[in-house]
């Protein structure tokens, strides 16, 4: 799955995951895959996150379509601590590989989402029991 630089995919993934720590029970965002839309739907039940990714053939018309009109390309359920940790680890990997300036150069319109990553890390560390190692040196 390759997301275009036209959407702020990393920020949307991090923010969508962070939204599930409040009262919100679901989060939706999409990756532009030129010309396709990859719509992510995250739903929380107790301490699990259900992830469904719907693929739509034409992003020019798909934003108005219901999820059921897309083709399900991925469906899985994960404990919230595991999913949030994986999202944070992926964000950290992107930063280590490209650094902030490199991220902006590669994704042109979208800087590395420092504040969103910090917010998700704070929520994850505060609300989740996670025995995995956390690199707190990463912004």
């Amino acid at each position: 799955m390759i997301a275009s630089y036209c959407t702020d995919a990393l920020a949307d993934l991090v923010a969508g995951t962070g939204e599930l720590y409040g009262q919100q029970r679901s989060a939706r965002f999409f990756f532009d895959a030129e010309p396709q839309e990859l719509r992510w739907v995250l739903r929380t039940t107790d301490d699990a996150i259900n992830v469904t990714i719907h693929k739509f053939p034409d992003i020019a018309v798909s934003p108005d379509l219901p999820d059921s009109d897309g083709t399900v390309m991925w469906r899985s359920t994960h404990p919230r601590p595991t999913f949030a940790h994986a999202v944070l680890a992926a964000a950290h990997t992107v930063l280590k590989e490209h650094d902030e300036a490199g991220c902006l150069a590669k994704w042109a319109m979208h800087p590395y989402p420092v504040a969103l990553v910090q917010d998700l890390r704070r929520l994850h560390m505060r609300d989740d029991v996670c025995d995995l190692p956390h690199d707190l040196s990463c912004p």
Side-chain angles (χ1 to χ4, degrees):
M1 170 179 3
I2 298 176
S4 164
Y5 68 92
C6 292
T7 49
D8 199 354
L10 180 58
D12 292 342
L13 175 61
V14 172
T17 303
E19 288 174 22
L20 300 179
Y21 281 84
Q23 298 296 320
Q24 207 163 324
R25 306 306 292 166
S26 67
R28 277 187 167 67
F29 51 91
F30 71 93
F31 293 176
D32 184 339
E34 298 184 62
Q36 300 152 339
E37 174 190 351
L38 304 175
R39 183 180 304 168
W40 289 62
V41 180
L42 308 179
R43 294 187 200 293
T44 185
T45 57
D46 299 323
D47 285 338
I49 294 178
N50 300 313
V51 180
T52 306
I53 302 173
H54 304 270
K55 182 177 181 179
F56 295 84
D58 187 355
I59 198 165
V61 297
S62 60
D64 294 327
L65 299 176
D67 297 341
S68 58
D69 282 6
T71 302
V72 174
M73 14 177 334
W74 179 267
R75 181 173 281 143
S76 60
T77 301
H78 309 275
R80 185 181 73 188
T82 303
F83 185 78
H85 192 96
V87 170
L88 287 167
H92 181 70
T93 298
V94 169
L95 184 61
K96 276 178 49 178
E97 185 173 326
H98 301 286
D99 71 42
E100 285 187 59
C103 286
L104 186 56
K106 186 164 183 69
W107 285 281
M109 300 181 291
H110 308 291
Y112 183 80
V114 173
L116 291 171
V117 170
Q118 289 172 341
D119 287 345
L120 179 57
R121 183 183 305 111
R122 179 184 53 80
L123 293 167
H124 173 62
M125 299 292 288
R126 183 191 72 192
D127 295 350
D128 293 331
V129 175
C130 181
D131 296 326
L132 298 170
H134 296 84
D135 185 350
L136 302 178
S137 67
C138 178

